[in-house]
Amino acid sequence: MEFGRLIAAMVTPFDANLQVDWDQVGKLMDYLIDEQANDSLVICGTTGESPTLTEEEKLKLFAYAVKHANGRCKIIAGTGSYDTAHSIHLSKEAEKLGVDALLLVAPYYNRPSQEGLYQHYKAVAESVSIPCILYNVPSRTGVNINADTTIRLSHLPNIVATKDCADLGQLTQIVNGAAEGFRVYSGEDNMTLPVLAIGGYGIVSVASHVIGKDMKNMINCYLQGNVREAAQIHAKLHPVFKGLFECPHRVPNPTAVKYALNARGVRVGGLRMPLMNATEEEGRFIASLFE
C-alpha cells in the first residue's frame, strides 16, 4: 500500500470546552489534504494528543476520518500503547472501522527489552491484516527500537515501514538491512532531506500542517535530481523545523503547531492538560517563524 512521501501527524481540534470539535476535524483534514499537499494522515498520534483522548474518542475519530477522507488520502490510526493487550484490542477495532494502516509507538514507560519489543510488535501485527508502521521515538518513550530489532521486524508480513526519530547512523543500518520494500520515514522534520539522502522514503511530519507544500516541493526536487534546489528549500525551512520544537522553554509538541494553525485561521483550539497553551512570549516566537 502506498502512503506517499509526506504524512501529517494530525493535531486533534478541540472546542472551547476541550471536547473534540467535529466540524473542525473535517475542515482541518481538508486543509491538510488540499492546501498542504499531505499524502496521508495519522489520526490520534502523539501530535493528536493521544494520551488524553479516551478510547471512545479515538474510535470515533478513526471512523470520522475514514468517512471524511473518502479515499482522498490514506488514514493511519495511532493504536500503540505500553500495554500489548490493549494495543491489540484498539488495533482490531480500528481495522473494523476501515483505517488503511496502524502507527504503533514503542511501549513507553515500562521500557521493554529488545526481545520484548519484538514480541510486542509481532503480537499486534499478527492480530490484524492491515499494514503496521513502527514508531520509534526514544525521547518520549524511554526505549530505542534498535536497528537489529527493526530489521528483524521488517520481515514480518504486514510490518511495512517505520517512523523513526533515531540518528542517521541507526537509520542507515535499517535502510541497508531491512526487508525489500520496507520503508523508512523520518520522524523529525529537520531530518527529511538527510533521511531521503541515505535512502529513506519520506517524513511523518508536524511541520506539514503549516509548510506542507514547501516540504512536498523539497521532496520532489530531491527525487527529480535537483539536489541543490532541494538543499536551498531545506535551508529556508530549517528555522521553522527547529522553531516548532525549540521555541522558548522547549514547549512540548503540539503546543507550537496548534498556536501556528490558530494564528492563520485554522481553528484547532487549545490543549488538554497537562499540556499548556503557548504563552505570549512563546506565541511571539512562533509567529516570527513565518514572517
Side-chain angles (χ1 to χ4, degrees):
M1 183 177 289
E2 178 57 60
F3 301 107
R5 305 275 183 170
L6 184 65
I7 301 172
M10 194 178 89
V11 304
T12 301
F14 295 134
D15 63 21
N17 296 315
L18 295 181
Q19 299 304 301
V20 176
D21 189 331
W22 295 101
D23 185 49
Q24 291 302 124
V25 172
K27 290 179 180 179
L28 177 61
M29 289 180 64
D30 294 340
Y31 168 80
L32 291 176
I33 298 166
D34 299 332
E35 295 188 39
Q36 293 298 339
N38 289 282
D39 301 310
S40 296
L41 302 177
V42 172
I43 307 298
C44 302
T46 309
T47 304
E49 297 177 69
S50 57
T52 65
L53 294 171
T54 67
E55 181 174 318
E56 179 183 8
E57 287 173 327
K58 290 178 181 180
L59 294 175
K60 287 178 70 175
L61 281 161
F62 298 154
Y64 183 99
V66 169
K67 182 178 180 180
H68 191 80
N70 195 28
R72 291 178 294 156
C73 74
K74 297 293 190 297
I75 299 298
I76 303 168
T79 58
S81 75
Y82 50 39
D83 177 359
T84 303
H86 186 258
S87 299
I88 289 171
H89 163 72
L90 193 58
S91 296
K92 286 181 174 180
E93 293 301 310
E95 181 177 29
K96 291 176 188 175
L97 294 171
V99 303
D100 297 292
L102 307 175
L103 183 70
L104 302 168
V105 69
Y108 41 90
Y109 189 74
N110 46 24
R111 301 179 67 184
S113 66
Q114 293 302 309
E115 183 61 24
L117 288 167
Y118 177 83
Q119 294 300 334
H120 167 83
Y121 279 115
K122 181 174 183 287
V124 177
E126 288 179 346
S127 74
V128 295
S129 59
I130 56 177
C132 297
I133 302 171
L134 311 176
Y135 179 18
N136 185 37
V137 54
S139 65
R140 283 186 178 264
T141 63
V143 65
N144 176 44
I145 312 171
N146 69 28
D148 289 341
T149 301
T150 301
I151 291 167
R152 187 181 174 197
L153 286 165
S154 75
H155 291 278
L156 297 179
N158 61 328
I159 295 184
V160 301
T162 184
K163 172 189 176 184
D164 205 312
C165 300
D167 60 42
L168 277 179
Q170 179 165 316
L171 296 185
T172 300
Q173 287 181 266
I174 295 168
V175 167
N176 291 329
E180 184 176 356
F182 184 81
R183 289 176 173 171
V184 175
Y185 287 87
S186 174
E188 303 279 3
D189 283 307
N190 66 309
M191 296 299 290
T192 304
L193 188 58
V195 167
L196 289 173
I198 62 166
Y201 196 76
I203 174 71
V204 181
S205 174
V206 174
S208 67
H209 282 81
V210 285
I211 51 171
K213 278 190 174 180
D214 291 328
M215 294 179 71
K216 179 63 75 68
N217 187 28
M218 177 182 71
I219 292 168
N220 288 338
C221 284
Y222 179 81
L223 296 174
Q224 293 161 7
N226 300 323
V227 177
R228 183 185 296 273
E229 185 174 354
Q232 290 171 342
I233 298 170
H234 169 79
K236 177 184 176 182
L237 299 181
H238 193 259
V240 179
F241 293 154
K242 300 291 283 186
L244 287 176
F245 291 88
E246 295 184 4
C247 68
H249 316 305
R250 296 184 65 88
V251 298
N253 181 49
T255 304
V257 73
K258 273 198 157 181
Y259 183 95
L261 286 165
N262 285 320
R264 61 179 52 198
V266 182
R267 308 310 302 176
V268 294
L271 299 105
R272 286 181 174 175
M273 289 179 66
L275 297 182
M276 303 298 290
N277 294 326
T279 64
E280 286 188 21
E281 177 193 3
E282 291 159 353
R284 287 194 296 271
F285 175 83
I286 296 162
S288 74
L289 299 174
F290 302 97
E291 292 176 349

